[in-house]
Amino acid sequence: MGEPYAKNKKAYHDYFIEEKFEAGIVLTGSEVKGIRARRINMKDSFIRLDNGEAVLYNMHIGRLETTHHYYGHEERGSRKLLLHKKEIDKLQKAVDRDGYTIVPLQLYFNDRNLVKVQIAIAKGKQLHDKRADLKAKDQKRDIERAMKDY
């Protein structure tokens, strides 16, 4: 896995991550250029299974000024994800269970220079779970500060 070009930090805050997958993504040339320029926002993106295909919605990929308007892309369009049939079946079974959803975690280029998306099966957190996580994070930070001083 290469260096992440975009991360969905909100996914870790809002969900318990159960299982991760790597998926390819169908893009046009102008979208790849936008990703290389790091004009990506995955904050509100989600994945839905439509007719046996995984589709990524609401991921923003900005346009570059250098690309011609004819070859431009829709910034918040839907993008098809490339997964094996067994993986799609596994995702479908997880979504059919209570409270599970599929969220994108990060976008990166692999060692063959192909754009990949790390997706995960996740279960939504409730408010008290989020508070407990923040409390544990603060305690860990305080412990690290104390250890640094000694």
Side-chain angles (χ1 to χ4, degrees), residues 34 37 70 85 100 106 109 148:
Y70 181 78
K85 182 69 175 159
Y100 284 90
Q106 61 183 359
F109 286 89
K148 185 181 174 183

mmCIF file of all heavy atoms in Angstrom, residues 34 37 70 85 100 106 109 148:
data_model
loop_
_atom_site.group_PDB
_atom_site.id
_atom_site.type_symbol
_atom_site.label_atom_id
_atom_site.label_comp_id
_atom_site.label_asym_id
_atom_site.label_seq_id
_atom_site.Cartn_x
_atom_site.Cartn_y
_atom_site.Cartn_z
ATOM 1 N N GLY A 34 -6.589 15.228 -10.941
ATOM 2 C CA GLY A 34 -7.073 15.896 -9.739
ATOM 3 C C GLY A 34 -6.610 15.194 -8.476
ATOM 4 O O GLY A 34 -6.281 15.841 -7.471
ATOM 5 N N ALA A 37 -3.004 15.941 -7.823
ATOM 6 C CA ALA A 37 -2.866 17.294 -7.288
ATOM 7 C C ALA A 37 -3.452 17.404 -5.887
ATOM 8 O O ALA A 37 -3.495 18.490 -5.319
ATOM 9 C CB ALA A 37 -3.554 18.288 -8.224
ATOM 10 N N TYR A 70 -14.056 20.374 -21.931
ATOM 11 C CA TYR A 70 -14.702 19.261 -22.626
ATOM 12 C C TYR A 70 -14.349 17.933 -21.956
ATOM 13 O O TYR A 70 -15.169 17.022 -21.900
ATOM 14 C CB TYR A 70 -14.262 19.248 -24.093
ATOM 15 C CG TYR A 70 -14.902 18.146 -24.892
ATOM 16 C CD1 TYR A 70 -16.203 18.258 -25.343
ATOM 17 C CD2 TYR A 70 -14.208 16.972 -25.180
ATOM 18 C CE1 TYR A 70 -16.799 17.251 -26.073
ATOM 19 C CE2 TYR A 70 -14.782 15.961 -25.909
ATOM 20 C CZ TYR A 70 -16.084 16.102 -26.349
ATOM 21 O OH TYR A 70 -16.676 15.091 -27.064
ATOM 22 N N LYS A 85 -16.257 -10.886 -7.092
ATOM 23 C CA LYS A 85 -17.644 -11.264 -6.798
ATOM 24 C C LYS A 85 -17.788 -11.750 -5.345
ATOM 25 O O LYS A 85 -18.759 -11.408 -4.667
ATOM 26 C CB LYS A 85 -18.101 -12.353 -7.783
ATOM 27 C CG LYS A 85 -19.517 -12.782 -7.621
ATOM 28 C CD LYS A 85 -20.462 -11.697 -8.036
ATOM 29 C CE LYS A 85 -21.890 -12.207 -7.979
ATOM 30 N NZ LYS A 85 -22.839 -11.128 -7.877
ATOM 31 N N TYR A 100 -24.782 -2.226 9.894
ATOM 32 C CA TYR A 100 -23.509 -2.250 9.187
ATOM 33 C C TYR A 100 -23.603 -1.440 7.914
ATOM 34 O O TYR A 100 -24.634 -1.403 7.244
ATOM 35 C CB TYR A 100 -23.086 -3.680 8.858
ATOM 36 C CG TYR A 100 -22.544 -4.416 10.055
ATOM 37 C CD1 TYR A 100 -23.376 -5.150 10.880
ATOM 38 C CD2 TYR A 100 -21.199 -4.359 10.372
ATOM 39 C CE1 TYR A 100 -22.890 -5.806 11.997
ATOM 40 C CE2 TYR A 100 -20.692 -5.013 11.477
ATOM 41 C CZ TYR A 100 -21.545 -5.741 12.283
ATOM 42 O OH TYR A 100 -21.055 -6.380 13.378
ATOM 43 N N GLN A 106 -9.434 5.341 2.805
ATOM 44 C CA GLN A 106 -8.368 6.143 2.213
ATOM 45 C C GLN A 106 -8.216 5.821 0.733
ATOM 46 O O GLN A 106 -8.654 4.778 0.266
ATOM 47 C CB GLN A 106 -7.047 5.959 2.945
ATOM 48 C CG GLN A 106 -6.489 4.568 2.952
ATOM 49 C CD GLN A 106 -5.226 4.495 3.777
ATOM 50 O OE1 GLN A 106 -4.775 5.488 4.324
ATOM 51 N NE2 GLN A 106 -4.631 3.328 3.861
ATOM 52 N N PHE A 109 -2.224 5.431 -4.395
ATOM 53 C CA PHE A 109 -1.688 4.766 -5.576
ATOM 54 C C PHE A 109 -0.884 3.561 -5.102
ATOM 55 O O PHE A 109 -0.055 3.674 -4.203
ATOM 56 C CB PHE A 109 -0.779 5.711 -6.369
ATOM 57 C CG PHE A 109 -1.527 6.759 -7.136
ATOM 58 C CD1 PHE A 109 -1.845 7.967 -6.554
ATOM 59 C CD2 PHE A 109 -1.914 6.524 -8.440
ATOM 60 C CE1 PHE A 109 -2.522 8.941 -7.258
ATOM 61 C CE2 PHE A 109 -2.596 7.488 -9.153
ATOM 62 C CZ PHE A 109 -2.910 8.696 -8.566
ATOM 63 N N LYS A 148 7.342 11.752 28.438
ATOM 64 C CA LYS A 148 8.313 12.592 27.758
ATOM 65 C C LYS A 148 9.072 13.478 28.740
ATOM 66 O O LYS A 148 10.260 13.746 28.582
ATOM 67 C CB LYS A 148 7.602 13.436 26.711
ATOM 68 C CG LYS A 148 8.503 14.265 25.846
ATOM 69 C CD LYS A 148 7.699 15.074 24.852
ATOM 70 C CE LYS A 148 8.583 16.012 24.073
ATOM 71 N NZ LYS A 148 7.804 16.845 23.175
#
